[in-house]
Amino acid sequence: MDLFKLDGKVAIVTGAGRGIGRSIAKGLAEAGAHIVICSRTEKELLELKSEIDDAGGSSTVMTCDVTDEENIQQVVDDTVKEFGSIDILVNNAGITKKAPALDYDLDDFKRIIDVNLTSVFVFAQKVGRVMAKQQSGSIINISSIASVQAVTGSIPYTASKGAVAMITRTLAVEWAKYNIRVNAIAPAYIETPLVEEVKKTRTGFAEAVAKRTPMGRMGRPDEMAGAAIFLAGEASSYMTGETLFLDGGWKAYGL
Ligand SMILES: NC(=O)c1ccc[n+]([C@@H]2O[C@H](COP(=O)([O-])OP(=O)(O)OC[C@H]3O[C@@H](n4cnc5c(N)ncnc54)[C@H](OP(=O)(O)O)[C@@H]3O)[C@@H](O)[C@H]2O)c1
């Protein structure tokens, strides 16, 4: 079980206030890492910090907008100043908005690309410079089943997630010489506030997802933590450039 221990490690998790990021932050903390929790909503981060601390873990709140390069640099600098290293980065912050491709608003398209894709590179680059000096680190990007399968009404979302899979592979190859591993987690539909919003745009959405999923249900946010713990530490020491699909069998399903 030592392979799954993260004692003494320092992790940054973006989009940690809600949903998948929140569960991953709690899981990494339970495995022993100190977690720097980031998002724009301080209230949610303070609640999460209390939960982590009450469970015997340790965490630091740093509010951050991942579309703001200076803000990202500040989080990286403050983390190094306070804790001396960054061992794990989870690029999880993400958004979506549904509209038909023929009508998709260009400002919305650019905003989603900024949050879901550009921030993944900018955060990875800034943390990568620290990890390269350390000659160690693990970066985990949250991609999606939408990286390999079309989702109608989600053109910037699918484009961003497909690109995250390629950023993951390219950085993995480029940074292997620094002993930095870069992998991704690609969930299918997970019961989070983001999916609650999607449900409102389509009646019968939850039932349709359950029917299409071999396991017959959506995933729970807490079911994302185990893969993050695996990718963060020694258990996955020879894995890089990979995307793990956590999808209840969605991708395996043909007809
Ligand atoms: N839920 C699913 O079914 C599913 C499936 C596949 C992939 N994913 C991916 O998993 C990740 C998390 O999704 P989720 O479902 O957990 O979403 P969520 O419940 O809506 O949570 C998203 C988190 O991202 C943060 N965030 C959004 N914009 C941000 C910004 N500009 N700067 C910093 N933080 C920002 C939010 O906090 P603030 O708004 O307070 O900043 C929030 O903490 C996303 O990348 C999503 O694409 C989700």
Side-chain angles (χ1 to χ4, degrees):
M1 291 312 289
D2 281 355
L3 288 171
F4 295 93
K5 283 190 181 152
L6 300 175
D7 296 306
K9 304 281 185 198
V10 176
I12 297 175
V13 180
T14 72
R18 303 189 289 277
I20 292 172
R22 189 180 184 92
S23 291
I24 288 179
K26 285 167 79 171
L28 296 180
E30 209 175 313
H34 179 86
I35 319 294
V36 175
I37 47 179
C38 307
S39 74
R40 293 166 303 175
T41 311
E42 190 176 28
K43 184 173 171 281
E44 290 180 341
L45 297 177
L46 290 170
E47 283 165 10
L48 173 62
K49 179 176 168 51
S50 298
E51 274 180 45
I52 289 175
D53 295 358
D54 288 352
S58 78
S59 59
T60 302
V61 168
M62 293 192 197
T63 51
C64 175
D65 184 335
V66 297
T67 62
D68 181 336
E69 190 188 347
E70 279 179 24
N71 211 176
I72 294 174
Q73 189 64 60
Q74 194 67 51
V75 168
V76 171
D77 291 346
D78 288 352
T79 304
V80 172
K81 204 168 149 200
E82 212 165 317
F83 306 107
S85 69
I86 305 173
D87 304 294
I88 301 152
L89 167 67
V90 183
N91 268 317
N92 164 79
I95 56 172
T96 191
K97 185 176 176 187
K98 289 274 199 183
L102 285 177
D103 303 330
Y104 217 97
D105 180 77
L106 188 55
D107 286 339
D108 284 340
F109 186 97
K110 288 179 178 169
R111 187 171 53 89
I112 291 169
I113 294 292
D114 270 357
V115 176
N116 292 9
L117 173 59
T118 311
S119 81
V120 169
F121 169 64
V122 176
F123 230 121
Q125 186 190 49
K126 292 186 187 307
V127 168
R129 288 173 182 151
V130 176
M131 290 177 168
K133 268 194 210 145
Q134 291 169 185
Q135 289 286 304
S136 70
S138 173
I139 296 176
I140 303 165
N141 298 322
I142 307 302
S143 171
S144 168
I145 190 78
S147 64
V148 291
Q149 291 189 327
V151 179
T152 54
S154 303
I155 189 70
Y157 188 82
T158 55
S160 69
K161 294 301 183 180
V164 164
M166 282 317 299
I167 282 194
T168 300
R169 290 192 189 106
T170 308
L171 293 183
V173 171
E174 212 171 309
W175 292 353
K177 63 180 176 226
Y178 304 121
N179 195 28
I180 302 171
R181 296 183 302 107
V182 188
N183 292 288
I185 293 173
Y189 291 98
I190 311 300
E191 298 268 13
T192 68
L194 181 142
V195 161
E196 283 305 316
E197 288 305 309
V198 175
K199 277 187 197 169
K200 288 179 198 162
T201 67
R202 205 175 126 187
T203 41
F205 178 75
E207 294 73 18
V209 169
K211 202 168 161 207
R212 168 67 177 74
T213 308
M215 285 182 71
R217 63 173 177 85
M218 288 196 192
R220 299 186 311 270
D222 63 279
E223 291 178 303
M224 306 294 107
I229 295 168
F230 167 68
L231 291 176
E234 275 306 295
S236 60
S237 59
Y238 197 53
M239 177 180 276
T240 197
E242 274 300 331
T243 295
L244 291 183
F245 284 82
L246 306 188
D247 65 357
W250 182 289
K251 191 162 70 71
Y253 180 78
L255 188 64

